[in-house]
Amino acid sequence: MIAYDEDIRTTEDRHTSGAYSKRPLTLVRGEGVRVWDDADNEYIDATSGQGVALLGHAHPQITAAISAQSGALITCPEIFYNDRRAELYRLLASVMPDGMDRFFLCNSGAEAMEGALKAARLLTERRGVVAAVRGFHGRTLGALALTWNKKYRQPFAGWTAEDVAHVAYNDLDAARAVIGAETAAVVVEAVQGEGGVHPADVDYLRGLRQICDETGALLIVDEVQTGFGRTGRWFAFEHADIIPDIVALGKGIAGGVPMGAVAWRSALGALPRGSHGSTFGGNPLACAAASATIETLAAEDLPAHSAELGAWAREEINRRDWSAVREVRGLGLMIGIELRGRVTPILQGLQARGVLALPAGLNVLRLLPPLIISRDELLAVIDAIGDTLHDNA
Ligand code: PLP
């Protein structure tokens, strides 16, 4: 390694895109629910790196899977078959509802949403999309529009952001008013994450399922943030006892290795050959990490742990009756604390107390701890929030 005569933050600030607002903290190591900075200060990580590290950091099973696979085969595009990929397909199918066992593997949540949208267009031959106010689904823009070969572009030609109608969340009448014979897909988060940690009403999700059945639109549930036990079930749509047509997956699917996936009901059919693709999609390294993640989540019954601990935490926060708190929301270990004031000073105060947490908008404190967190560790997070709110009163 070349030795540079300047500190890490100076280098990053000079070269970074500028697109991120960064916290003045340099993280260099993690273990379990804890991370350490470059001065060896310890933090409880209630961010999981934005909801990714479901099994915490440096989990021995994930580390072993990545290490073994990196010595066997890292890259193997889907033009070939691969043992690790086949293993992951079997495992994904085992945690999905019966019949939801077609998958497109990719590398991020936004790509999973792109894949879900393309699948919906191809499978319905319609173009309209209905999404929700406050929804968040990713940030990609237009790579396909730049691609010259008509073979790739033509099936999706003419599709623009104008084809998307945004309607109020948890409002079935608003949804019913816009979903019709031209609607290819209705896209919804079962708990809105970035939008402020708002769980969908059970009746809302059931109603969307029914409207989609009546109109032939496909129901896409974005489980990028909520999937793999985060909300106390394997997938958040299970709380409403519905089966979507298409599910988008990402974040924690591979225990921290970048990965996304689209899952859909095989009754809808397979995608036409050549209609979609990704260089890294389904690479054996990510597949091995994802299989280890799913196996560990199941072996340690972490979705159930998430349900129990999350319910306890919300009750505990409510019990403390902090005057700075307007409302506590969430499902499982996806917790939103809506404050009466701005969240930024609270996040800063928490960091000074050794706890890292996330915002969701300007006044919601969002906790997405690893699902392996213990009650005592979560209690330490709640105590730190109480102390910080007290200091900022
Ligand atoms: N969908 C949801 C619900 C998300 O929360 C996010 C990211 O926060 C995305 C999609 C986009 O995922 P990525 O940042 O991996 O592209």
Side-chain angles (χ1 to χ4, degrees):
M1 283 242 285
I2 303 170
Y4 289 100
D5 192 18
E6 69 178 13
D7 67 47
I8 296 162
R9 286 184 218 163
T10 308
T11 306
E12 278 213 35
D13 286 342
R14 185 147 34 78
H15 295 294
T16 185
S17 65
Y20 296 97
S21 28
K22 286 183 198 268
R23 302 184 195 185
L25 181 63
T26 304
L27 297 178
V28 293
R29 185 162 64 85
E31 191 181 328
V33 300
R34 289 182 168 73
V35 287
W36 283 264
D37 68 15
D38 54 348
D40 216 28
N41 297 307
E42 181 179 313
Y43 302 84
I44 296 182
D45 182 10
T47 73
S48 301
Q50 289 190 323
V52 170
L54 297 174
L55 300 174
H57 302 280
H59 190 286
Q61 252 112 318
I62 305 297
T63 308
I66 295 170
S67 158
Q69 192 58 36
S70 69
L73 188 66
I74 289 179
T75 193
C76 172
E78 281 230 30
I79 54 172
F80 304 109
Y81 292 88
N82 173 259
D83 52 350
R84 293 281 89 86
R85 194 184 304 127
E87 177 184 62
L88 176 60
Y89 280 147
R90 282 190 214 113
L91 274 167
L92 278 174
S94 75
V95 295
M96 281 285 165
D98 281 352
M100 182 163 287
D101 55 8
R102 286 262 180 203
F103 306 101
F104 178 84
L105 301 175
C106 51
N107 316 288
S108 68
E111 274 182 71
M113 281 310 305
E114 296 283 345
L117 278 181
K118 286 177 83 173
R121 280 216 54 182
L122 291 167
L123 297 169
T124 62
E125 295 178 3
R126 302 176 180 185
R127 59 188 282 165
V129 174
V130 176
V133 171
R134 279 194 324 240
F136 183 89
H137 303 284
R139 311 205 205 197
T140 47
L141 171 84
L144 183 62
L146 303 176
T147 298
W148 175 77
N149 192 332
K150 270 205 173 133
K151 180 176 95 174
Y152 301 127
R153 259 186 301 120
Q154 202 57 48
F156 310 98
W159 197 82
T160 70
E162 303 302 314
D163 291 307
V164 180
H166 286 98
V167 294
Y169 189 67
N170 270 336
D171 183 340
L172 262 187
D173 291 336
R176 195 175 280 113
V178 295
I179 302 170
E182 282 300 302
T183 311
V186 177
V187 181
V188 68
E189 289 162 274
V191 181
Q192 289 188 322
E194 299 291 316
V197 191
H198 295 275
D201 298 335
V202 163
D203 288 344
Y204 175 63
L205 290 179
R206 289 184 184 159
L208 288 183
R209 178 65 279 177
Q210 193 182 338
I211 298 167
C212 286
D213 287 341
E214 288 162 7
T215 57
L218 299 181
L219 180 61
I220 300 178
V221 178
D222 180 345
E223 293 266 2
V224 168
Q225 193 165 142
T226 50
F228 296 99
R230 168 63 63 198
T231 71
R233 306 290 292 265
W234 274 93
F235 301 101
F237 61 74
E238 294 173 32
H239 292 283
D241 216 4
I242 57 156
I243 300 181
D245 297 298
I246 302 177
V247 177
L249 303 165
K251 288 202 187 278
I253 182 173
V257 174
M259 187 179 222
V262 191
W264 67 96
R265 294 192 302 109
S266 49
L268 295 167
L271 300 184
R273 283 206 202 290
S275 58
H276 198 33
S278 159
T279 299
F280 293 123
N283 73 82
L285 188 73
C287 289
S291 293
T293 302
I294 295 170
E295 278 171 343
T296 308
L297 286 168
E300 297 183 11
D301 205 10
L302 289 172
H305 178 69
S306 165
E308 194 190 313
L309 209 55
W312 168 81
R314 277 186 296 281
E315 214 178 288
E316 180 66 24
I317 297 166
N318 276 322
R319 195 182 62 75
R320 298 193 181 201
D321 205 19
W322 292 316
S323 59
V325 171
R326 186 174 283 141
E327 192 181 28
V328 184
R329 298 187 288 267
L331 270 178
L333 286 172
M334 183 167 182
I335 300 169
I337 305 171
E338 184 171 325
L339 305 174
R340 294 186 197 282
R342 295 278 164 127
V343 69
T344 306
I346 307 305
L347 293 172
Q348 288 163 345
L350 281 173
Q351 184 173 314
R353 287 192 152 77
V355 171
L356 303 181
L358 291 165
L362 293 177
N363 63 349
V364 176
L365 178 65
R366 183 171 38 146
L367 304 177
L368 297 176
L371 306 190
I372 56 165
I373 195 167
S374 69
R375 186 177 290 225
D376 282 351
E377 287 161 336
L378 200 49
L379 191 59
V381 171
I382 295 170
D383 285 343
I385 295 171
D387 292 346
T388 308
L389 290 174
H390 181 263
D391 283 358
N392 281 265

